[in-house]
Amino acid sequence: MAPSAVPLDLGSGLFPWFIRKLVYGTPREMTPADIETVIRRFAHAASLASEAGFAGVEVHAAPEGLNDAIQQIRAITDAGVDFVEISGGSIEDPTFSTGPPPPPVEKSARSRAREAFFVEFASAVRSEFREVPVVLTGGLRTRKGMEVALAGGSCDMIGLARPAVVNPSVPRKLLDLNIPEEEAVARVEKVKPWSIAGYIHGY
């Protein structure tokens, strides 16, 4: 099921066509009733979170969309939220992408020292919304890097996504000061794509 009945484009030729038919097929277009069901489910999840005393908004960081994001966050915070989370690893980190990696972008030493993918974006949000806690998620892997992000005022809290999914005990490890700095790392092994995927995409 998808917003439209458009099959995945794996390229031209018989082999991509066969893989698309065999593995993916063509999605069924959502009906108005399907869309209403999805809306109700999101609303239900939000109400459960609200009843539990939890209300936040996740903002996917995109440098070209900063002004739009600020306007959206302002509208949402005016309605009342407990925090704003900045995330969106697929935009900047090529390891999130299914296609060939883009050319490397040269970063300053200061930027490299700050592990978070979106620390600049988070800083911009923080400067606009001083009264709302900011959670920064994406790219943070070491205790030192997290301390730098917090001390720099870019965020109030750190979000761990993939590291905590792979190893739920990793936050405890990072917070244990008896563990040396060089070992206080949330490691996540890169998942290698199916070998045939590279052939299909031509890289």
Side-chain angles (χ1 to χ4, degrees):
M1 187 168 64
S4 59
V6 177
L8 185 65
D9 183 6
L10 298 176
S12 60
L14 182 61
F15 186 66
W17 175 87
F18 178 75
I19 293 296
R20 184 178 68 239
K21 288 287 187 182
L22 179 67
V23 179
Y24 298 104
T26 299
R28 176 177 67 80
E29 182 176 357
M30 295 176 72
T31 66
D34 292 328
I35 296 172
E36 289 296 330
T37 298
V38 171
I39 292 172
R40 284 197 304 273
R41 288 179 176 179
F42 269 97
H44 179 62
S47 67
L48 290 177
S50 179
E51 290 171 9
F54 177 89
V57 57
E58 179 182 11
V59 178
H60 284 257
E64 68 276 13
L66 177 59
N67 291 333
D68 288 341
I70 293 297
Q71 292 179 20
Q72 293 174 23
I73 295 170
R74 180 166 288 111
I76 295 170
T77 54
D78 287 347
V81 293
D82 296 325
F83 65 90
V84 172
E85 180 189 9
I86 306 298
S87 68
S90 59
I91 296 169
E92 186 167 329
D93 180 17
T95 64
F96 282 73
S97 175
T98 57
V105 177
E106 188 63 30
K107 295 184 178 181
S108 67
R110 183 168 174 243
S111 293
R112 287 195 300 271
R114 297 179 296 182
E115 298 171 345
F117 296 143
F118 309 109
V119 67
E120 288 85 2
F121 191 97
S123 297
V125 172
R126 157 59 61 236
S127 65
E128 291 284 338
F129 303 96
R130 295 286 183 184
E131 72 286 358
V132 181
V134 172
V135 183
L136 183 57
T137 301
L140 289 160
R141 293 292 181 266
T142 68
R143 180 167 63 206
K144 186 65 176 176
M146 296 174 194
E147 290 173 348
V148 168
L150 290 167
S154 300
C155 60
D156 303 287
M157 292 177 278
I158 299 297
L160 290 174
R162 290 186 298 164
V165 170
V166 175
N167 181 6
S169 66
V170 73
R172 181 179 299 172
K173 173 183 176 181
L174 293 170
L175 290 171
D176 187 350
L177 298 181
N178 293 317
I179 295 178
E181 286 290 344
E182 61 272 13
E183 296 178 19
V185 179
R187 291 187 174 87
V188 178
E189 297 295 330
K190 182 188 290 188
V191 178
K192 293 183 178 180
W194 188 29
S195 59
I196 200 171
Y199 175 80
I200 292 172
H201 289 281
Y203 63 91

